[in-house]
Amino acid sequence: MAMHGMRGLSVFISDIRNCQNKEQERQRIDKELGNVRNRFKNEKGLSPYEKKKYVWKMLYIYMLGYDVDFGHMEAVSLISAPKYPEKQVGYIVTSCLLNENHDFLRLAINTVRNDIIGRNETFQCLALTMVGNIGGREFAESLAPDVQKLLLSSSCRPLVRKKAALCLLRLYRKNPDVVNVDGWADRMAQLLDERDLGVLTSSMSLLVALVSNNHEAYWSCLPKCVKTLERLARNQDIPQEYTYYGIPSPWLQVKTMRALQYFPTIEDPYTRRTLFEVLQRILMGTDVVKNVNKNNASHAVLFEALALVMHLDAEKEMMSQCVALLGKFIAVREPNIRYLGLENMTRMLMVTDAQEIIKRHQAQIITSLKDPDISIRRRALDLLYGMCDVTNAKDIVEELLQYLSSADFTMREELSLKAAILAEKFAPDLSWYVDVILQLIDKAGDFISDDIWFRVVQFVTNNDDLQVSAYILGEYSHLLARRPGCSPKEIFGILHEKLPTVSTTTIPILLSAYAKILMHTQPPDQELQSQIWAIFNKYESCIDAEIQQRAVEYFALCQKGAALMDILAEMPKFPERKSSLIKRAEYSEADTAEQSAIKLRAQQQPSNALVVTDQPPANGATSPVPVGQLSLAMVPSMITTEDHTSTDPASSQQNGSLTKVDPQHPSADLLGDLLGPLAIEGPPGATVQSEHNAVSRLEGGPDAVDGSAIVPVEEQRNTVQPIGNIAERFHALCLKDSGVLYEDPYIQIGIKAEWRAHHGRLVLFLGNKNTAPLVSVQALMLPPAHLKMELSLVPDTIPPRAQVQCPLEVVNLRPSRDVAVLDFSYKFGTNMVNVKLRLPAVLNKFLQPIPVPAEEFFPQWRSLSGPPLKLQEVVRGVRPMPLPEMANLLNSFRLMICPGLDPNPNNLVASTTFYSESTHAMLCLIRIETDPADRTQLRMTLASGDPTLTFELKEFIKEQLISIPTAPPQSPAPAPAPPPAAQATPQIPPNDPAALLAGLLS
Amino acid sequence: MPVAASAIYFLNLRGDVLINRLYRDDVGGNMVDAFRMHIMQTKELGTCPVRQIGGCSFFYMRISNVYIVIVVSSNANVACAFKFVVEAVSMFKSYFGGAFDEDAIRNNFVLIYELLDEIMDFGYPQNLSPEILKLYITQEGVRSPFSSKASDKPIPNATLQVTGAVGWRREGLVYKKNEVFLDIVESVNLLMSSKGSVLRCDVTGKILMKCFLSGMPDLKLGLNDKIGLEKESQMKSRPAKSGKTIELDDVTFHQCVNLTRFNSEKTVSFVPPDGEFELMKYRITEGVNLPFRVLPTIKELGRTRMEVNVKVKSVFGAKMFALGVVVKIPVPKQTAKTSFQVTSGRAKYNAAIDCLVWKIRKFPGQTEPTLSAEVELISTMAEKKSWTKPPIQMEFQVPMFTASGLRVRFLKVWEKSGYNTVEWVRYITKAGSYEIRC
């Protein structure tokens, strides 16, 4: 070492080490710095030896953390010294004390360059090392050619060349222009033929940086990388010194695989096969061993391999192998390995469709929830949350519930939130959901945020038959009172009729309703008041404490008069029903680290992996569809004037129209609507005509089956004419998820659908409107090739005034515009009726709007270049409409308009994700250029990763733009806000004979 | 009585615990680690004597090479805690024979533990008077009551003394030669602008006494302070003598001084404790006689050269002289070479404190030695950090000089037996923070 014989330096260092405390050390150092300053000042008397010694001292002081703001000149000047020891200290101290922006470095460029192009290898190494550490732009400009030459030169020793590669990497990072893409790609490929692993490792680092910027130019390197990887994996020709715990250069392996991930795909089948063989070998060959270092190395390789497998979207078998391997990892005792296993599984879940395979390890993952290490527990929770779907929701949620009671306090909130979301999203039936949430509230107590129990209250209030009816009447009857015939008295009469028959738990609610009715009666009705007071009086001596208490309290309150107003005021509105839970989950998901990492990677590489990773986890926490499925409200919006987002517009519209058509029994109608179930239970003599409100019912809940009222709307007719225009109904349903599909005098077929990714679940509501049963009911699905449909059994007979629900499962296999047809027939009396109905399981139902920011849109748009992935067509004969209207229309097809991406205000840019089994989630980008002068023509450009999808979507949009259904003029259909009744009613056009007839008859 | 401490630690400069005592168990044993981590190993050390870390308050103080740290978790009386430390240190000094440092602590572990047990109980300070403590915490071996040789001294009754009327003095003291030593020690704090105008100036003084008097003497001290003189002239109903009177601020007395008599007669009369004690403290802000005037001129010649000229003028009597005068003239951090010319004393550059240090061992009154120095600076990387010129600092001691002008007019001793006493009076003025801006 060059320090030999520098006595002053070693004395100084030992002085420092002997210092008792920081103060002493500081004093010693200040003294020494004073000394050094003094020496540097009389430059003339300074010998090279002394200079070297003082510069070393400066470095030592600097490394101890003290400011050294002088003497840089001396350090830099040592670089040009002829002897090695001085040059060495010059280079070392310069690279430590100076940064790339220092002016002094400029002085050294020439010397450094001389060293690099000189013949002395050690000097070359010193210079390359320094430039590799602190080289800046100026260095890049003046030294890059020399460094490149050195890297390529065959006469240089590998030692120099590997330093040159790293040096070039630094220069490239400082100034990407120094590497000329055209010329360098071939040379890079050449470099990868290198046999020396040291040079190869350095070159690979360089390659990773190069391809991360521009993979196009370096296609030629891809096979070389695979070859390198193969060589390493087969352990061919690997020198001993590059083998680490028996693993051939893990660093090079990792770097190579990292480089490969920057290429979007591998097209050459041979290369692809070879790569998969290699990956297979890595996957097979990795195991958990005792030695920590070996584990670290082999796992680094393995996880990079996993990332590569995910990136390449390998076949299912390989995936399952990966998952199996990860499964082995999560069963290991060592926590680090288990953590990695869980984390990678979660990542895998996001990137690929490995859900089914991962499910096999569910039990093991659940065990990990009980791990002593909290980070592992968190990973396990994330993974469980991610892997949950309809099939395993019950198990997972119950497991989470069980775990909740023993979970860490810090985790409880997240845990309960996730359990609540899962329960909500995948609830097989309602009662289970309510059970789960109540258990959750019971167990987690404080950790339950308000949102969770709000939602339960919503559910319970929405689904408890009479209790609810009474509650609602109590709450909202005053709004009804404005209508003729809806006087509080009548409402009270109807409610009171039921009082003797209901259970004791319902009575208190009825009492509350009475109290509220009384309160809302303006001006006060003495008769009603006395009636109600009489009832309260009667129940004041009731045996049931609850009823008694209520009666007493209400009685007392009633007499107080004005005070009643506040106490019995309407319940406050429920908050926005789009679950705030999910919003919160998004929020908490957003800060999990691995997501950001994936996102980062995705941003770096414009490959098709982006499409998926950028999405929220496949079971779409953000998708509005699962939200819709849950937000059910029974109260028709028109009556309540409440902003219940999901109140089915269709049902309320029908209410509205009916009220007009049938003015003689409006109150009965409305009540019938509200008290559907009551109407059934009630005495048959009560000629209550009920409007069909089945669609607004919760679908799927078995307990809700009988909950819908029956629909004998008008007088019976012998002609079997459909009511309303079937085609219009179909078009309307294309845009929304529930409504009436078909209606005739005997039957009404309602439909309610929910869509999640490429799965759909439709429920057909077959309602017999008549007092006689419908027989020989048959429903036959005629599905097109791209849809897999399963219709559950349709009963042969529909009893009078009953409604039957038939769930229908839909799976989208691939993109297509074909439409499924329902062949439906029944017999009424002697009439055989047969209709063929198109089902609204159309292309746009499998779309999921997704906002794409500009920085992601444009790379995507560019990467999908030319047909068949990108198609363009000039469409003529478009129904002219203003641009916002078109944007609305597109939005209603679940194409998310991205404003601001196109500078031209006449153009529209939209994005969406299409789900099908073959394409999985596929990002589609749409651009529509309109001509302000001629609104009937436009140019449409579509891009997606799948040629069929591009074509079909283009055709679909074209159809929609040309032949726009006239029925819902520009109603944004899936938008939650209920449109004004008159406008959005599936109109009965005046020329419809059936409707005219109905009008006349009533 | 407020709590003063939950625990007390004695640390050396490295942060090792030399000795510690927990008085209350509301602080953990590892609290001192927090002190080490958050105070000793940061630059904060010495900036703020009270710090709160993790719900505990730390009061610390450095005495020679020992840190004394008091840890308290409740809302303690800080002044009480510091007073306790100061008193404890003077008590230790009196036990150890003057020195209080790391070595002294290492050599007296057992004694210190014994004393720590005695001077504080459950966080409440107890009797810290060394005279009383020495009655029952002795450094000698225990004499057996059955030993043949009878003790020549009567066995002192500590209880009686602590609870008696004159708690600070034991009865029956006998000295062959009755002597009283009285020292007036003043330290001058000064901040002067470069132009020579006084920005801030005050004197803090204390009167130290050492008594070797037999029996129960009653002492009376007369100073040339304003209140005392006025009162006296009133009492004797004759006009006040023309001459300098001193106005004392913030006077505090030792507990032995009879305050009722001070309030009514304005005389300081007291029964002194045996041995050494601090009789009173005071402060003076008006009419201070500055012992030195400093006239600096510092010129920066370009970026790498400086010229420093300092003239120091002594303004006390020509027959007096100051001792140990040190003038510290700050220079920039990048000072490389220095050369000096001084008319007296010696000067050199000290890189550890970035100052030119000029020492004059004996500095006669009414003289004005000068220093002129040339300073060469090294050029640095940093863009010419503007040098914030710190003030010049001075250290000195001037015997037989009081900056306040305070004099002892009389010191009278009465005792039943009426013995003769010898009184010795000494004056000394030291530099506190004596700073001159340049």
Side-chain angles (χ1 to χ4, degrees):
Chain A
M1 196 57 203
M3 271 194 278
H4 280 313
M6 278 190 284
R7 210 179 115 68
L9 181 61
S10 34
V11 166
F12 169 62
I13 292 175
S14 71
D15 275 359
I16 294 287
R17 290 188 179 156
N18 287 336
C19 280
Q20 291 282 314
N21 52 52
K22 205 76 187 158
E23 183 61 22
Q24 272 178 24
E25 182 186 292
R26 196 190 61 75
Q27 285 184 358
R28 179 72 184 87
I29 279 173
D30 279 341
K31 188 179 154 205
E32 194 60 42
L33 282 176
N35 182 25
V36 175
R37 282 197 294 263
N38 192 4
R39 293 313 186 96
F40 280 170
K41 200 64 194 178
N42 33 356
E43 185 94 47
K44 280 137 224 136
L46 211 59
S47 69
Y49 163 77
E50 278 176 313
K51 204 172 185 181
K52 180 181 76 178
K53 185 175 78 176
Y54 291 123
V55 172
W56 275 126
K57 278 185 185 173
M58 272 169 48
L59 179 62
Y60 188 78
I61 291 169
Y62 178 76
M63 289 189 328
L64 285 173
Y66 294 87
D67 262 351
V68 177
D69 55 359
F70 64 95
H72 303 105
M73 194 61 199
E74 280 75 12
V76 172
S77 72
L78 277 173
I79 290 179
S80 50
K83 282 202 204 133
Y84 176 77
E86 283 134 44
K87 209 184 249 305
Q88 182 206 26
V89 63
Y91 272 118
I92 290 179
V93 175
T94 306
S95 50
C96 288
L97 292 188
L98 299 186
N99 65 30
E100 57 178 284
N101 300 321
H102 258 300
D103 291 339
F104 274 142
L105 276 183
R106 229 176 265 156
L107 306 175
I109 290 186
N110 238 336
T111 327
V112 173
R113 180 158 186 269
N114 285 338
D115 279 339
I116 286 179
I117 57 179
R119 312 292 300 163
N120 189 323
E121 271 183 359
T122 45
F123 289 2
Q124 280 177 336
C125 286
L126 282 175
L128 288 172
T129 311
M130 189 199 76
V131 177
N133 280 322
I134 59 164
R137 267 191 99 82
E138 274 178 58
F139 276 84
E141 276 148 26
S142 50
L143 296 180
D146 300 317
V147 176
Q148 288 180 8
K149 218 177 285 168
L150 215 54
L151 175 56
L152 296 169
S153 111
S154 51
S155 57
C156 273
R157 279 208 300 165
L159 176 72
V160 180
R161 295 181 57 211
K162 77 184 175 195
K163 283 187 195 297
L166 292 177
C167 181
L168 188 59
L169 172 62
R170 163 92 186 187
L171 299 182
Y172 174 75
R173 281 182 181 150
K174 289 293 149 198
N175 182 3
D177 300 335
V178 299
V179 175
N180 188 353
V181 173
D182 305 329
W184 191 253
D186 294 338
R187 293 187 199 149
M188 198 65 231
Q190 262 176 47
L191 269 178
L192 295 179
D193 287 332
E194 176 67 43
R195 300 310 292 171
D196 183 275
L197 282 187
V199 180
L200 202 52
T201 311
S202 309
S203 310
M204 200 56 85
S205 299
L206 181 60
L207 179 69
V208 169
L210 291 174
V211 289
S212 69
N213 256 11
N214 176 6
H215 63 83
E216 299 281 347
Y218 296 96
W219 277 110
S220 53
C221 297
L222 198 149
K224 303 269 167 84
C225 289
V226 176
K227 225 157 126 194
T228 310
L229 202 56
E230 194 185 1
R231 176 181 156 200
L232 290 166
R234 291 183 196 280
N235 204 351
Q236 290 164 332
D237 177 28
I238 307 294
Q240 189 57 43
E241 65 266 29
Y242 282 100
T243 315
Y244 182 74
Y245 287 96
I247 305 162
S249 187
W251 295 276
L252 182 53
Q253 289 196 42
V254 166
K255 275 187 182 144
T256 314
M257 285 189 278
R258 177 63 55 90
L260 283 171
Q261 284 174 56
Y262 284 108
F263 294 101
T265 50
I266 296 176
E267 270 144 20
D268 177 32
Y270 172 74
T271 318
R272 198 177 162 88
R273 201 169 57 238
T274 323
L275 181 57
F276 276 124
E277 271 169 30
V278 172
L279 289 175
Q280 189 87 29
R281 189 183 276 266
I282 293 173
L283 294 182
M284 301 285 286
T286 311
D287 214 340
V288 178
V289 291
K290 272 268 154 61
N291 188 315
V292 178
N293 288 336
K294 179 166 185 174
N295 265 345
N296 286 342
S298 64
H299 293 161
V301 173
L302 176 73
F303 287 122
E304 207 57 49
L306 282 177
L308 187 55
V309 169
M310 284 183 240
H311 171 73
L312 292 176
D313 232 357
E315 21 332 333
K316 202 123 196 171
E317 195 190 332
M318 195 120 165
M319 283 294 178
S320 58
Q321 207 173 353
C322 293
V323 177
L325 198 65
L326 290 177
K328 219 190 293 176
F329 272 45
I330 60 173
V332 165
R333 277 179 68 91
E334 163 71 23
N336 286 331
I337 296 171
R338 212 162 34 200
Y339 180 92
L340 288 170
L342 288 169
E343 198 195 7
N344 275 279
M345 262 195 193
T346 317
R347 198 173 291 176
M348 212 150 184
L349 203 63
M350 276 180 218
V351 180
T352 61
D353 199 23
Q355 209 163 351
E356 289 305 317
I357 322 170
I358 290 178
K359 264 190 221 162
R360 286 181 217 150
H361 300 281
Q362 193 172 317
Q364 186 61 46
I365 297 166
I366 286 172
T367 337
S368 296
L369 264 187
K370 285 148 196 152
D371 199 275
D373 187 336
I374 184 153
S375 48
I376 290 182
R377 291 200 299 267
R378 281 189 198 283
R379 285 299 129 230
L381 179 59
D382 281 350
L383 181 53
L384 278 179
Y385 177 70
M387 68 189 279
C388 190
D389 63 10
V390 184
T391 55
N392 55 6
K394 227 168 165 163
D395 294 342
I396 289 183
V397 171
E398 265 150 31
E399 200 54 56
L400 291 182
L401 275 181
Q402 238 177 46
Y403 170 54
L404 191 60
S405 45
S406 60
D408 208 69
F409 284 100
T410 50
M411 261 178 93
R412 281 200 185 174
E413 184 169 359
E414 195 190 346
L415 189 64
S416 52
L417 187 66
K418 286 193 165 164
I421 293 169
L422 291 179
E424 191 177 306
K425 224 157 57 174
F426 301 112
D429 61 64
L430 189 70
S431 57
W432 180 78
Y433 169 73
V434 174
D435 279 355
V436 165
I437 299 296
L438 291 181
Q439 271 187 59
L440 194 66
I441 293 173
D442 180 35
K443 284 191 174 162
D446 296 344
F447 299 95
I448 295 288
S449 48
D450 292 348
D451 302 332
I452 293 177
W453 65 263
F454 277 165
R455 292 194 65 75
V456 185
V457 173
Q458 286 172 24
F459 267 73
V460 177
T461 52
N462 291 339
N463 290 285
D464 221 357
D465 302 352
L466 176 61
Q467 295 190 2
V468 176
S469 310
Y471 171 78
I472 288 168
L473 271 183
E475 283 287 317
Y476 305 117
S477 64
H478 63 290
L479 293 164
L480 276 179
R482 284 184 223 118
R483 303 185 159 275
C486 279
S487 73
K489 216 159 141 190
E490 285 168 61
I491 295 171
F492 168 73
I494 289 163
L495 270 181
H496 192 49
E497 253 173 39
K498 312 293 177 286
L499 187 63
T501 57
V502 296
S503 65
T504 46
T505 50
T506 316
I507 293 175
I509 297 171
L510 283 174
L511 291 182
S512 307
Y514 294 166
K516 291 202 173 193
I517 290 172
L518 188 59
M519 187 267 288
H520 290 305
T521 312
Q522 293 299 342
D525 182 336
Q526 286 305 321
E527 195 189 333
L528 182 64
Q529 190 179 345
S530 59
Q531 250 179 324
I532 292 176
W533 285 8
I535 296 165
F536 287 157
N537 256 330
K538 178 181 153 203
Y539 279 105
E540 265 175 20
S541 54
C542 181
I543 190 124
D544 187 285
E546 170 78 18
I547 299 172
Q548 189 182 14
Q549 190 185 353
R550 286 212 192 202
V552 171
E553 284 173 3
Y554 287 142
F555 189 65
L557 282 171
C558 286
Q559 271 145 351
K560 287 223 158 73
L564 198 65
M565 294 296 270
D566 286 339
I567 296 160
L568 296 178
E570 223 174 294
M571 290 289 280
K573 286 183 187 184
F574 283 128
E576 170 68 3
R577 287 195 177 214
K578 281 206 171 148
S579 176
S580 48
L581 293 187
I582 287 172
K583 261 184 245 154
R584 292 196 46 189
E586 269 170 51
Y587 174 73
S588 56
E589 257 168 44
D591 47 36
T592 55
E594 93 277 1
Q595 254 206 340
S596 61
I598 287 186
K599 193 152 185 176
L600 202 80
R601 177 88 64 85
Q603 280 166 351
Q604 285 169 355
Q605 55 185 129
S607 73
N608 53 2
L610 173 70
V611 180
V612 190
T613 51
D614 211 24
Q615 268 293 93
N619 32 19
T622 50
S623 75
V625 178
V627 175
Q629 99 197 35
L630 283 162
S631 34
L632 298 161
M634 200 172 89
V635 188
S637 60
M638 205 189 79
I639 298 175
T640 60
T641 64
E642 279 246 21
D643 192 10
H644 287 313
T645 54
S646 64
T647 304
D648 185 11
S651 73
S652 66
Q653 288 148 17
Q654 283 159 12
N655 271 332
S657 63
L658 204 80
T659 321
K660 279 181 229 143
V661 171
D662 193 5
Q664 284 178 335
H665 311 282
S667 74
D669 255 348
L670 285 159
L671 278 177
D673 195 50
L674 289 165
L675 302 176
L678 247 112
I680 296 172
E681 287 166 21
T687 53
V688 175
Q689 284 186 315
S690 309
E691 174 52 65
H692 169 91
N693 68 347
V695 270
S696 67
R697 285 277 166 194
L698 178 81
E699 93 303 333
D703 51 349
V705 171
D706 60 343
S708 48
I710 317 301
V711 206
V713 182
E714 285 99 33
E715 300 304 305
Q716 297 162 13
R717 263 169 275 122
N718 292 328
T719 45
V720 184
Q721 275 294 327
I723 299 171
N725 185 331
I726 296 176
E728 277 170 17
R729 288 188 191 276
F730 168 72
H731 283 300
L733 281 170
C734 285
L735 297 180
K736 48 187 197 184
D737 282 337
S738 56
V740 178
L741 181 68
Y742 171 80
E743 190 170 358
D744 69 18
Y746 308 117
I747 193 160
Q748 188 193 45
I749 303 178
I751 199 160
K752 167 123 182 111
E754 53 185 75
W755 308 93
R756 200 169 70 78
H758 60 281
H759 291 280
R761 183 182 160 93
L762 284 88
V763 183
L764 299 175
F765 296 86
L766 309 175
N768 184 351
K769 296 160 73 170
N770 239 298
T771 42
L774 296 178
V775 291
S776 305
V777 179
Q778 272 190 333
L780 203 66
M781 284 311 308
L782 308 171
H786 74 285
L787 292 177
K788 205 160 75 186
M789 294 184 128
E790 235 172 276
L791 181 64
S792 63
L793 202 66
V794 177
D796 192 50
T797 312
I798 305 178
R801 289 189 173 180
Q803 194 193 44
V804 176
Q805 294 183 5
C806 306
L808 170 63
E809 300 285 346
V810 184
V811 178
N812 187 21
L813 301 175
R814 58 189 164 271
S816 164
R817 280 168 301 137
D818 296 342
V819 179
V821 173
L822 175 72
D823 185 348
F824 184 77
S825 60
Y826 66 93
K827 213 168 172 180
F828 176 69
T830 51
N831 274 355
M832 182 72 191
V833 184
N834 182 311
V835 280
K836 293 200 169 49
L837 301 165
R838 284 184 290 169
L839 280 180
V842 284
L843 187 71
N844 67 325
K845 299 288 186 189
F846 302 103
L847 294 176
Q848 192 70 251
I850 174 177
V852 178
E855 63 266 25
E856 288 172 35
F857 188 92
F858 292 111
Q860 284 288 332
W861 185 257
R862 275 195 292 274
S863 70
L864 300 164
S865 51
L869 294 183
K870 193 194 253 174
L871 293 175
Q872 193 169 68
E873 187 177 328
V874 175
V875 186
R876 292 178 209 285
V878 178
R879 197 184 75 115
M881 59 180 127
L883 210 61
E885 193 180 313
M886 186 181 288
N888 258 346
L889 185 73
L890 290 181
N891 264 333
S892 67
F893 289 124
R894 305 188 183 186
L895 305 170
M896 166 88 79
I897 299 290
C898 308
L901 284 184
D902 200 311
N904 186 341
N906 286 312
N907 296 353
L908 285 174
V909 171
S911 58
T912 190
T913 316
F914 178 78
Y915 291 91
S916 75
E917 206 165 82
S918 68
T919 60
H920 306 300
M922 183 72 79
L923 185 68
C924 309
L925 306 171
I926 299 115
R927 180 162 181 247
I928 294 176
E929 293 151 283
T930 61
D931 180 359
D934 181 3
R935 286 249 165 244
T936 59
Q937 63 172 3
L938 49 80
R939 190 166 68 172
M940 184 160 63
T941 318
L942 260 124
S944 80
D946 183 86
T948 347
L949 172 59
T950 311
F951 177 76
E952 292 288 336
L953 189 61
K954 189 199 74 182
E955 291 299 310
F956 178 78
I957 297 174
K958 201 168 84 187
E959 281 171 15
Q960 301 299 327
L961 288 175
I962 293 173
S963 63
I964 304 210
T966 47
Q970 59 261 57
S971 67
Q983 186 199 13
T985 312
Q987 288 151 345
I988 303 170
N991 55 352
D992 186 347
L996 285 176
L997 197 59
L1000 288 173
L1001 284 168
S1002 57
Chain B
M1 184 72 169
V3 172
S6 290
I8 184 164
Y9 290 91
F10 294 77
L11 310 180
N12 67 10
L13 294 187
R14 279 227 314 262
D16 303 328
V17 179
L18 299 172
I19 193 166
N20 72 314
R21 176 76 166 81
L22 291 169
Y23 290 109
R24 300 162 78 96
D25 45 13
D26 54 357
V27 295
N30 56 352
M31 285 319 288
V32 73
D33 295 333
F35 177 77
R36 221 181 351 240
M37 294 281 295
H38 294 286
I39 299 175
M40 289 200 86
Q41 289 172 3
T42 60
K43 284 179 183 158
E44 225 176 299
L45 191 64
T47 56
C48 175
V50 179
R51 261 301 301 272
Q52 284 194 303
I53 305 165
C56 279
S57 305
F58 289 85
F59 314 143
Y60 66 96
M61 180 178 259
R62 180 174 160 176
I63 313 277
S64 72
N65 56 357
V66 177
Y67 278 102
I68 300 176
V69 184
I70 278 187
V71 188
V72 167
S73 74
S74 56
N75 184 13
N77 185 335
V78 181
C80 176
F82 279 113
K83 181 67 181 167
F84 172 77
V85 173
V86 170
E87 289 298 320
V89 169
S90 68
M91 188 258 314
F92 285 132
K93 278 182 179 163
S94 110
Y95 263 98
F96 304 155
F100 179 81
D101 53 18
E102 190 180 340
D103 288 333
I105 290 174
R106 287 190 190 282
N107 295 334
N108 293 287
F109 274 143
V110 181
L111 177 65
I112 293 174
Y113 275 125
E114 231 177 311
L115 288 169
L116 287 176
D117 279 346
E118 204 53 53
I119 59 178
M120 182 169 270
D121 187 26
F122 195 55
Y124 299 105
Q126 307 294 312
N127 199 337
L128 282 129
S129 153
E131 289 73 40
I132 295 167
L133 287 169
K134 276 176 183 165
L135 294 180
Y136 50 95
I137 298 175
T138 56
Q139 284 159 288
E140 297 135 27
V142 176
R143 178 168 292 131
S144 157
F146 307 108
S147 74
S148 54
K149 197 179 162 200
S151 71
D152 44 0
K153 273 192 251 173
I155 297 162
N157 187 340
T159 323
L160 192 69
Q161 188 177 343
V162 173
T163 54
V166 186
W168 54 90
R169 190 177 178 92
R170 138 171 96 87
E171 292 197 48
L173 288 168
V174 179
Y175 288 98
K176 268 183 203 151
K177 199 176 172 188
N178 291 302
E179 283 179 307
V180 184
F181 298 84
L182 192 137
D183 292 354
I184 294 186
V185 181
E186 294 190 340
S187 67
V188 191
N189 300 311
L190 169 76
L191 181 64
M192 191 182 265
S193 76
S194 53
K195 306 251 166 54
S197 59
V198 174
L199 301 174
R200 192 184 69 214
C201 178
D202 62 89
V203 173
T204 56
K206 51 189 176 184
I207 300 180
L208 302 176
M209 282 196 95
K210 205 185 255 179
C211 292
F212 302 107
L213 296 172
S214 314
M216 277 290 188
D218 202 352
L219 277 74
K220 197 168 172 185
L221 173 69
L223 301 167
N224 62 339
D225 67 308
K226 204 173 176 183
I227 302 170
L229 287 176
E230 278 171 7
K231 191 79 192 173
E232 201 167 303
S233 58
Q234 253 178 33
M235 302 255 294
K236 298 187 177 164
S237 61
R238 68 175 183 215
K241 269 185 220 159
S242 62
K244 205 179 170 195
T245 56
I246 312 295
E247 200 164 350
L248 302 178
D249 301 337
D250 303 338
V251 186
T252 55
F253 292 107
H254 188 263
Q255 59 166 339
C256 65
V257 174
N258 189 336
L259 290 178
T260 44
R261 238 154 108 196
F262 177 77
N263 287 335
S264 59
E265 299 169 23
K266 301 295 173 197
T267 49
V268 182
S269 63
F270 53 95
V271 178
D274 196 32
E276 201 176 336
F277 69 100
E278 186 185 286
L279 178 67
M280 65 182 277
K281 281 193 291 195
Y282 59 89
R283 201 159 62 88
I284 287 169
T285 48
E286 312 246 319
V288 178
N289 313 316
L290 292 175
F292 293 99
R293 296 218 159 243
V294 180
L295 307 164
T297 40
I298 294 178
K299 275 186 246 165
E300 286 182 62
L301 310 167
R303 284 194 59 182
T304 56
R305 258 167 50 82
M306 264 174 63
E307 215 177 73
V308 179
N309 279 296
V310 180
K311 187 193 275 182
V312 182
K313 204 169 157 187
S314 55
V315 286
F316 43 86
K319 284 181 184 164
M320 289 191 270
F321 52 84
L323 295 173
V325 177
V326 179
V327 185
K328 292 179 186 164
I329 305 145
V331 287
K333 207 161 171 51
Q334 61 267 35
T335 299
K337 285 191 72 179
T338 46
S339 61
F340 300 95
Q341 278 188 322
V342 287
T343 55
S344 80
R346 239 182 262 163
K348 65 171 185 186
Y349 167 61
N350 185 340
I353 54 172
D354 295 318
C355 281
L356 305 178
V357 181
W358 179 22
K359 287 181 179 166
I360 304 163
R361 193 173 291 167
K362 194 166 176 182
F363 197 134
Q366 303 299 339
T367 54
E368 37 178 278
T370 56
L371 167 144
S372 61
E374 277 200 15
V375 178
E376 277 183 74
L377 309 176
I378 201 163
S379 57
T380 60
M381 285 307 300
E383 284 303 312
K384 193 164 161 46
K385 270 185 242 157
S386 62
W387 175 51
T388 55
K389 289 180 185 169
I392 294 175
Q393 295 181 320
M394 255 189 103
E395 294 167 16
F396 54 81
Q397 285 191 5
V398 192
M400 300 320 285
F401 172 83
T402 51
S404 59
L406 194 72
R407 292 274 172 250
V408 175
R409 295 194 297 118
F410 57 83
L411 177 62
K412 293 175 188 157
V413 182
W414 282 286
E415 221 279 334
K416 283 178 286 187
S417 55
Y419 53 68
N420 286 327
T421 52
V422 186
E423 295 101 14
W424 304 87
V425 179
R426 222 163 30 150
Y427 304 96
I428 190 162
T429 296
K430 295 179 187 168
S433 100
Y434 204 85
E435 296 180 332
I436 298 96
R437 289 195 183 148
C438 51

